[in-house]
Amino acid sequence: MKVVTGEREYFKGIDQIKYEGPESDNPLAYRWYDENRVVAGKTLKDHLKFAVSYWHSFNGNGSDPFGGPTHRFAWDEKSDAVERAKDKMDAAFEFMTKLGLPYYCFHDVDVVDYGNDINENDRRLQTLTDYAKQKQADSGIKLLWGTANLFSHERYMNGASTNPDFHVLAHGAAQVKAALDATIALGGENYVFWGGREGYMSLINTNMKREQEHLARFLHTAKDYARAQGFKGTFFIEPKPCEPTKHQYDYDAATVTGFLQKYDLLNDFKLNLEVNHATLAGHTFAHEMQVAADWGLLGSLDANRGDEQNGWDTDQFPNNITEVTEYMMVLLKAGGLQGGGINFDAKIRRNSTDQADLFYAHIGGADIFARALIIADNILQKSDYNKIVTDRYASFDSGEGKAFEEGKLSLEALRDYAVKNGEPAVTSGKQEYLENLINRFI
Ligand code: XUL
Ligand code: CO
């Protein structure tokens, strides 16, 4: 990949990040992410399809509920919104090409500031879409997915497509139309719906059934529009149980699959799962991935991590090799992601204020996933892991167990089997053995 800068270089003194191997002590090099390395029949680049998220990397300024910005951006200086947005895009493509990851993701309002005039917003996004198209052509970087931010503006305080006021819903639709147009124009491979405020703060004032019906109707309407424009990619729903609302309708993978089935959306929609959202739902991320995989809906991943000691969506960069290895085992067993990739929906800390920090964060994230994928493949190829798990279910492979699976045994027949065969043997689940096995390969 060629480094693409604008008129000005923003990340001075940092060259393109290269793969140098596990022995390298260069903090600005990949130690595991060798994009051309082939694992389980595919290159790491194609397995992982890493994406940089625009919002955290180029808008997230370190502010928190207790204090203002700590990250001061040189691309955020001009007074004109469109000129400022172009500078930011110059910085973004400089960063992404120096990092050498193949994709990016954005919300409409990450790319350029929006006001309250829909026509003006559309013009701004169109201008920046044209600008991005040239940048993509110059660099080879592609758009993994686009989305619309239907949660920050005050009009969405009671939701967007689930708002009790139809007028607000229509504003959400206007934004989604423009974001879909931009995504399609940029060859975006997927489109994401994260329902930030699609839920409720209090059930006392909420007609939950009607709100969910509106959500489904909205998704159908948006999907029909995009398909009519020729969009061939996948739509993703990104589950999250709460935050910012107390309860969100897209609670977790199981809830969303039920919703998609009920409202006949399974043909077009899959899941974009996020690690920290799984944590908030009280699940491991591997669990969320397995639920999606079992439904054939494992679409894309938002990579990050929460904090062991608090219950917020802290969006830290991933760094736990044991956990990520378990994710990659699920991914490989599922045959990979359907359409999506791995988007770093993660932010550097408020006090990470060196320019290099954004590079360290992404390098570490890419390396941990690459290393975990290699380890997971070794576990699946070179150990008795698969056999142990398969053998646990061997009693269903023949005889009466098989007949049960095929629906051929009545409840009376099951009782007869129990009586005839006496008390079952005690059989180990071998959990500690398997935990040690995974550690051995790490
Ligand atoms: C919020 C979140 C979003 C979505 C896109 O928790 O994950 O950034 O990924 O709207
Ligand atoms: Co996300």
Side-chain angles (χ1 to χ4, degrees):
M1 190 180 291
K2 153 167 135 285
V3 170
V4 172
T5 53
E7 281 164 20
R8 175 170 172 190
E9 191 181 10
Y10 289 98
F11 299 92
K12 285 211 183 75
I14 298 178
D15 298 327
Q16 192 162 50
I17 309 300
K18 299 260 156 51
Y19 169 72
E20 292 185 5
E23 301 309 319
S24 172
D25 58 7
N26 177 2
L28 287 169
Y30 294 112
R31 296 170 67 244
W32 295 94
Y33 181 57
D34 172 7
E35 63 173 22
N36 297 318
R37 177 166 174 173
V38 175
V39 175
K42 262 198 315 199
T43 61
L44 289 181
K45 186 178 176 183
D46 289 343
H47 270 292
L48 301 165
K49 292 176 70 179
F50 286 127
V52 172
S53 62
Y54 221 85
W55 53 103
H56 285 307
S57 295
F58 313 112
N59 297 311
N61 55 20
S63 59
D64 70 12
F66 301 92
T70 54
H71 304 161
R72 313 222 174 259
F73 298 136
W75 54 82
D76 214 11
E77 283 163 2
K78 292 188 182 147
S79 57
D80 179 73
V82 168
E83 291 309 310
R84 202 162 59 239
K86 286 182 177 170
D87 283 355
K88 178 163 63 180
M89 193 164 279
D90 285 347
F93 274 84
E94 181 192 328
F95 175 76
M96 296 189 294
T97 53
K98 284 184 169 174
L99 196 60
L101 298 184
Y103 287 92
Y104 71 115
C105 301
F106 63 73
H107 302 84
D108 45 5
V109 302
D110 305 335
V111 169
V112 61
D113 291 348
Y114 269 23
N116 284 345
D117 177 342
I118 294 173
N119 289 320
E120 171 60 13
N121 292 341
D122 286 0
R123 269 194 296 274
R124 287 183 182 183
L125 188 60
Q126 179 62 54
T127 305
L128 268 297
T129 299
D130 292 342
Y131 201 67
K133 207 183 246 179
Q134 188 59 48
K135 292 270 175 191
Q136 288 185 197
D138 293 346
S139 64
I141 287 184
K142 294 187 279 189
L143 181 62
L144 186 65
W145 48 262
T147 188
N149 177 329
L150 305 185
F151 44 90
S152 294
H153 193 283
E154 63 186 8
R155 77 171 79 87
Y156 299 126
M157 67 182 176
N158 291 307
S161 68
T162 63
N163 198 294
D165 182 355
F166 170 69
H167 190 170
V168 177
L169 181 148
H171 271 265
Q175 252 186 272
V176 167
K177 181 190 172 296
L180 279 167
D181 289 342
T183 302
I184 294 168
L186 292 171
E189 296 183 14
N190 309 277
Y191 186 87
V192 163
F193 290 90
W194 170 58
R197 295 187 196 270
E198 310 293 27
Y200 60 77
M201 297 303 292
S202 170
L203 195 53
I204 298 174
N205 61 9
T206 302
N207 184 335
M208 196 157 87
K209 182 164 187 287
R210 208 163 174 193
E211 291 195 2
Q212 295 204 44
E213 284 166 2
H214 294 167
L215 172 59
R217 173 66 54 214
F218 188 89
L219 294 173
H220 270 288
T221 308
K223 176 256 298 171
D224 290 345
Y225 171 77
R227 292 292 184 232
Q229 307 307 305
F231 180 63
K232 300 264 186 308
T234 307
F235 300 95
F236 296 136
I237 304 278
E238 185 174 326
K240 187 175 181 183
C242 54
E243 203 186 331
T245 57
K246 174 184 160 53
H247 177 87
Q248 289 171 200
Y249 296 135
D250 301 331
Y251 193 96
D252 61 2
T255 309
V256 173
T257 51
F259 174 88
L260 293 176
Q261 187 177 46
K262 177 172 179 190
Y263 292 105
D264 192 25
L265 289 159
L266 281 173
N267 288 336
D268 297 272
F269 286 76
K270 298 194 188 315
L271 301 186
N272 178 38
L273 300 167
E274 178 164 326
V275 182
N276 208 161
H277 297 180
T279 318
L280 293 176
H283 303 307
T284 64
F285 189 56
H287 168 89
E288 289 293 85
M289 288 180 67
Q290 192 64 57
V291 170
D294 291 347
W295 279 74
L297 298 176
L298 186 63
S300 204
L301 307 179
D302 270 9
N304 57 24
R305 73 180 207 276
D307 181 286
E308 306 261 332
Q309 278 78 44
N310 69 29
W312 306 325
D313 192 12
T314 57
D315 284 342
Q316 297 169 79
F317 274 80
N319 77 349
N320 183 321
I321 188 65
T322 309
E323 287 176 5
V324 182
T325 298
E326 289 180 24
Y327 313 158
M328 292 300 94
M329 288 171 73
V330 179
L331 180 134
L332 285 173
K333 283 189 289 173
L337 299 171
Q338 298 192 35
I342 295 176
N343 166 47
F344 290 110
D345 193 353
K347 58 186 174 210
I348 52 175
R349 300 300 88 192
R350 174 170 167 78
N351 56 354
S352 298
T353 50
D354 290 343
Q355 279 219 318
D357 290 331
L358 194 60
F359 284 89
Y360 298 144
H362 285 86
I363 291 167
D367 267 347
I368 204 125
F369 270 88
R371 185 175 162 208
L373 189 83
I374 294 162
I375 294 165
D377 181 51
N378 282 332
I379 292 168
L380 298 175
Q381 299 297 327
K382 298 180 188 162
S383 79
D384 51 2
Y385 171 82
N386 272 331
K387 183 172 165 2
I388 289 172
V389 178
T390 307
D391 285 356
R392 287 191 81 202
Y393 299 88
S395 61
F396 290 94
D397 290 341
S398 60
E400 304 288 272
K402 187 162 184 238
F404 166 77
E405 273 199 351
E406 290 167 349
K408 293 178 183 157
L409 290 192
S410 66
L411 197 60
E412 296 96 313
L414 288 170
R415 181 182 185 278
D416 291 346
Y417 182 93
V419 170
K420 195 170 122 210
N421 290 282
E423 192 53 31
V426 172
T427 311
S428 172
K430 292 191 175 6
Q431 182 175 326
E432 295 79 6
Y433 175 94
L434 292 174
E435 286 169 349
N436 292 357
L437 184 152
I438 290 173
N439 280 342
R440 180 152 58 84
F441 279 84
I442 289 172

